[in-house]
Amino acid sequence: MSTIQQNLQDVRSHIAAAAQRCARAPEEVTLLAVSKTKPVEAIAKAIAAGQRAFGENYVQEGVDKIRYFSQLPAGSGLEWHFIGPLQSNKSKQVAEHFAWCHTLDRLRIAQRLSDQRPVGMSALNVLIQINISDEQSKSGIVLDELPALAAAIAALPNVTLRGLMAIPAPETDYQRQVAVFGLMHDAFLALKQHYPQVDTLSMGMTDDMAAAIAAGSTMVRIGTAIFGARDYT
Ligand SMILES: *Cc1c(COP(=O)(O)O)cnc(C)c1O
C-alpha cells in the first residue's frame, strides 16, 4: 500500500471517529483532499485509493492539473474545488474549470464568476469565506456583512450559494477551536433558514479537523495528513 493510500485510510478513520464521538454519521463529512504544490503522481495515488474531491489554491496550478486528469480514464468523476485567494483577473479560469469556489468575499468576484461560467456547465457552487478569528488575515468578510452578501450572491444566475467557509487563526487548545468553529456553525444554521440550497460548512484542516467536526463541519480540507508536508522552495 502506498503511503498516500495509508494516510487516506487513517484520515477517513479519524473523521469517522470524530463524527461518532459527537453522534454524527461519518457520511455527513466530506473529505476534500488538498493537493496544492503536490505533483499529479501524488494525486493519482489518492484517486487510486478512491478519493474524488480535490482542493487547489493556485489558479494556474489547479487548471493544469484539471486539464491533465480530464484526459485520463482515471480522471473521470473528479470534483475540483478552488480554495485559494481569488483575484478578479483570475476569475475566468476558475469559472471555466472548477466545480466549487470556497473563498468568495466580494460581490464583484461573484458577479464575474457568474458571468464567466460557460453555457452548458452547471452553476458554480460557491461558499462565502468568513473571517471568524484571524484579524491579521485580509481574506473573508465579518459576520455582520453576511446577510447582504448572501442575498446578492443568491440572486446571481450561474453560481449556487452552498454555504460558508473559514480558516480560523491557529489555535492549539481543542475547546477554544470548538468555540470558534461553533460561531461558524451558528451562522451556517441561520443562513440555511433563508436559503434551502445551503448545505455545506467547509472548515477543519489537518490540525483542527476533530474540533471542526464536533462543531458541525460538513467538509474538511485536508492536505498535510494525506500528502505530507509541503515544500514551497
Ligand atoms: C493548505 C490549505 C488546507 C490544508 O491544510 P493542511 O493543514 O495541510 O491540512 C486547507 N484549506 C486551505 C484553505 C488551505 O489553503
Side-chain angles (χ1 to χ4, degrees):
M1 199 172 352
S2 77
T3 310
I4 287 172
Q5 194 176 0
Q6 181 63 58
N7 289 348
L8 263 170
Q9 257 184 31
D10 293 347
V11 168
R12 288 188 192 121
S13 331
H14 198 69
I15 291 170
Q20 269 147 12
R21 275 198 300 275
C22 53
R24 298 184 64 199
E27 305 77 56
E28 289 174 33
V29 184
T30 300
L31 171 57
L32 184 66
V34 176
S35 44
K36 64 181 179 219
T37 79
K38 298 295 176 182
V40 290
E41 291 77 13
I43 297 174
K45 287 187 180 135
I47 295 170
Q51 182 63 29
R52 289 291 170 270
F54 292 90
E56 288 285 338
N57 287 58
Y58 310 104
V59 175
Q60 194 54 54
E61 179 188 338
V63 169
D64 289 346
K65 289 170 176 172
I66 292 169
R67 288 215 173 98
Y68 174 85
F69 283 104
S70 71
Q71 293 160 5
L72 301 182
S76 72
L78 300 185
E79 189 176 83
W80 294 93
H81 295 233
F82 185 74
I83 62 170
L86 181 53
Q87 265 128 35
S88 52
N89 61 346
K90 302 276 176 65
S91 63
K92 189 160 186 279
Q93 298 261 74
V94 170
E96 291 180 348
H97 296 281
F98 284 84
W100 288 70
C101 176
H102 289 222
T103 47
L104 271 188
D105 59 3
R106 269 167 291 169
L107 180 57
R108 199 176 115 71
I109 297 212
Q111 280 164 336
R112 287 176 68 92
L113 290 170
S114 182
D115 290 346
Q116 293 165 337
R117 188 68 167 170
V119 175
M121 273 178 104
S122 54
L124 180 71
N125 297 295
V126 299
L127 304 177
I128 295 175
Q129 183 174 355
I130 307 293
N131 187 343
I132 198 67
S133 62
D134 191 347
E135 275 132 40
Q136 310 303 317
S137 166
K138 293 179 291 307
S139 303
I141 59 166
V142 295
L143 280 175
D144 285 350
E145 297 169 327
L146 177 57
L149 184 60
I153 290 175
L156 296 172
N158 301 320
V159 299
T160 302
L161 178 61
R162 296 289 294 271
L164 303 177
M165 177 272 210
I167 312 170
E171 165 62 66
T172 51
D173 181 74
Y174 178 82
Q175 290 307 335
R176 283 202 291 261
Q177 290 175 348
V178 172
V180 171
F181 285 134
L183 299 175
M184 285 295 298
H185 190 240
D186 293 346
F188 173 67
L189 291 181
L191 192 68
K192 249 166 112 74
Q193 301 238 302
H194 285 88
Y195 306 99
Q197 75 279 16
V198 163
D199 59 2
T200 302
L201 181 54
S202 165
M203 58 187 196
M205 315 197 332
T206 292
D207 290 332
D208 56 13
M209 68 177 123
I213 291 166
S217 170
T218 72
M219 190 178 287
V220 290
R221 308 177 309 264
I222 308 298
T224 308
I226 297 172
F227 296 110
R230 287 175 292 274
D231 182 358
Y232 286 101
T233 55

